[in-house]
């Protein structure tokens, strides 16, 4: 029993030694010196870190990325977009395509006419493709930049203004396609038709980046049916006057030009993999990135 009491008193004495006034083996002054040392030490490290970040920020711009030499060509994306790029629905069952309709409505909301009325923020840039509009330097010296209006009605059958289901209720689904934003990027139209499918030659014109959608597999071409394209002046491409993009700080209200694609005669009950591509001199493709300059989507119109 005496040994247990001695050992019990030993650890209690280590925690607090009333004779030496020590806590965990150190006096109050010793703990104060250690605390002061670590406050100064970590304060010094924090100062070095903050100073380094401040120096780095002095070399960068809030308006333009400092290094863009490794920025890949822009991606091509679409709405509605699902996790696995698979669109499946039954045209006479609204619940099967409700999420697609909601995604289209949400995306196109900012393209409504009432959201583009402010003449201090928006310009009318014509109804036909024209060259890029340069709006000054990439800084605040010229103030904010105005942007071109893009009218939702240009999307025709896929605008949602006349058919609230965007064709899904008739088994004729629509997609809204856009080029992803890159600050200062100027897309260049194709100079020749060599890389463009013959079916898309009619959409090749100056000041326009054409797109074309086709069945990924050769045996599915007949199952795809007719594909309609809607956009500015029914050109089926992206007009250049909407470029370059000056970034969120200078153009928070920026509207990307859109192209609507509608598949009007898909074979019901057949799963089709479709690839859409944008064509331009500085638009490249990468097998490792399925959204660089193109995208793939799988569509299945089911039968009840």
């Amino acid at each position: 029993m005496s040994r247990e009491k001695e050992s019990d008193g030993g650890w209690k004495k280590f925690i607090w030694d009333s004779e030496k006034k020590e806590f965990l083996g150190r006096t109050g002054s010793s703990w104060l010196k250690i605390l002061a040392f670590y406050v100064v030490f970590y304060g010094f490290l924090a100062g070095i870190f903050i100073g380094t970040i401040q120096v780095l920020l002095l070399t960068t711009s809030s308006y333009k990325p400092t290094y863009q030499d490794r920025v890949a060509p822009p991606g091509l994306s679409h709405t509605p977009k699902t996790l696995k790029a698979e669109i499946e629905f039954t045209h006479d069952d609204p619940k099967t395509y409700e999420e697609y309709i909601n995604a289209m409505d949400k995306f196109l909301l900012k393209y409504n006419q009432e959201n583009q009325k402010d003449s201090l923020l928006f310009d009318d840039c014509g109804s036909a493709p024209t060259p890029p509009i340069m709006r000054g330097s990439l800084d605040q010296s010229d103030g904010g930049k105005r942007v071109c209006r893009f009218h939702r009605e240009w999307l025709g059958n896929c605008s949602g203004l006349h058919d609230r289901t965007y064709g899904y209720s008739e088994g004729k689904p629509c997609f809204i396609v856009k080029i992803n934003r890159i600050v200062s990027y100027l897309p260049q139209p194709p100079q020749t038709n060599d890389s463009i499918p013959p079916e898309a030659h009619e959409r090749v014109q100056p000041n326009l980046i054409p797109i074309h959608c086709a069945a990924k597999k050769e045996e599915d071409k007949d199952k795809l049916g007719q594909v309609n394209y809607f956009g500015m002046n029914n050109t089926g491409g992206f007009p250049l006057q909407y470029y370059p993009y000056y970034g969120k700080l200078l153009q928070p209200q920026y509207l990307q030009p859109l192209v609507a694609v509608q598949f009007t005669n898909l074979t019901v009950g057949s799963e089709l993999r479709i690839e859409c591509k944008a064509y331009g001199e500085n638009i490249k493709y990468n097998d490792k990135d399925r959204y660089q300059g193109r995208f793939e989507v799988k569509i299945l119109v089911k039968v009840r």
Side-chain angles (χ1 to χ4, degrees):
M1 291 293 292
S2 60
R3 290 184 179 179
E4 291 181 3
K5 289 183 178 180
E6 289 179 3
S7 61
D8 183 58
W11 66 262
K12 286 184 177 180
K13 189 173 183 180
F14 173 74
I15 295 176
W16 172 247
D17 189 338
S18 59
E19 296 178 359
K20 298 180 179 180
K21 306 297 182 182
E22 292 180 348
F23 176 71
L24 295 179
R26 291 183 179 275
T27 62
S29 60
S30 177
W31 279 115
L32 185 61
K33 291 177 182 178
I34 290 177
L35 179 63
F37 169 80
Y38 280 109
V39 167
V40 173
F41 177 69
Y42 285 113
F44 177 73
L45 292 181
I48 293 178
F49 177 76
I50 294 172
T52 303
I53 296 299
Q54 290 298 323
V55 171
L56 177 63
L57 291 177
L58 291 175
T59 66
T60 61
S61 170
S62 299
Y63 302 97
K64 180 182 178 181
T66 304
Y67 303 104
Q68 284 189 292
D69 55 322
R70 287 187 172 271
V71 175
L76 195 68
S77 57
H78 62 88
T79 301
K81 186 176 181 180
T82 60
L83 185 61
K84 296 183 179 180
E86 297 178 356
I87 302 293
E88 298 182 2
F89 68 98
T90 304
H91 70 86
D92 55 356
D93 184 1
K95 290 184 179 180
T96 61
Y97 54 80
E98 182 179 10
E99 64 173 302
Y100 309 143
I101 304 307
N102 292 338
M104 300 274 274
D105 285 339
K106 183 178 179 181
F107 177 75
L108 290 174
L109 184 62
K110 57 181 173 291
Y111 288 86
N112 289 342
Q113 185 175 358
E114 62 268 19
N115 295 327
Q116 305 181 51
K117 289 183 177 180
D118 193 339
S119 59
L120 297 177
L121 300 177
F122 294 93
D123 278 335
D124 279 321
C125 301
S127 58
T130 60
I133 298 178
M134 310 306 294
R135 300 182 184 272
S137 58
L138 266 171
D139 55 41
Q140 198 66 38
S141 60
D142 300 326
K145 315 293 183 183
R146 291 196 289 184
V147 302
C148 290
R149 291 183 174 93
F150 190 94
H151 301 288
R152 184 170 175 174
E153 55 264 26
W154 288 344
L155 301 178
N157 296 342
C158 299
S159 67
L161 299 176
H162 309 293
D163 178 7
R164 300 298 301 169
T165 69
Y166 302 93
Y168 284 84
S169 63
E170 298 177 353
K172 302 176 181 179
C174 287
F175 288 87
I176 306 298
V177 184
K178 63 182 176 68
I179 294 178
N180 294 343
R181 303 176 184 184
I182 295 181
V183 176
S184 296
Y185 176 72
L186 279 174
Q188 300 172 9
Q191 300 299 314
T192 66
N193 292 342
D194 296 343
S195 62
I196 303 175
E199 300 87 349
H201 286 180
E202 62 181 10
R203 293 192 295 279
V204 177
Q205 57 179 284
N207 304 313
L208 187 78
I209 301 297
I211 72 167
H212 180 67
C213 298
K216 184 70 173 176
K217 298 179 181 178
E218 188 71 26
E219 59 268 25
D220 288 339
K221 284 189 174 181
D222 294 334
K223 299 178 182 180
L224 181 60
Q226 182 177 349
V227 183
N228 293 334
Y229 301 87
F230 303 95
M232 174 186 280
N233 202 27
N234 284 325
T235 49
F238 304 101
L240 295 190
Q241 62 257 52
Y242 290 84
Y243 302 95
Y245 170 54
Y246 283 83
K248 286 186 176 181
L249 291 180
L250 296 177
Q251 289 182 321
Q253 73 281 8
Y254 177 75
L255 297 175
Q256 293 154 281
L258 306 176
V259 175
V261 182
Q262 185 176 31
F263 306 98
T264 61
N265 194 24
L266 293 171
T267 300
V268 178
S270 294
E271 186 177 83
L272 302 176
R273 182 164 289 281
I274 299 169
E275 181 181 60
C276 295
K277 283 186 175 182
Y279 295 90
E281 290 298 308
N282 56 350
I283 296 179
K284 309 299 180 183
Y285 315 109
N286 189 333
D287 292 336
K288 296 181 180 180
D289 186 351
R290 61 181 181 177
Y291 286 102
Q292 183 173 309
R294 64 189 178 100
F295 68 82
E296 293 182 16
V297 62
K298 187 186 296 183
I299 302 180
L300 173 60
V301 183
K302 295 181 178 179
V303 182
R304 279 201 177 192

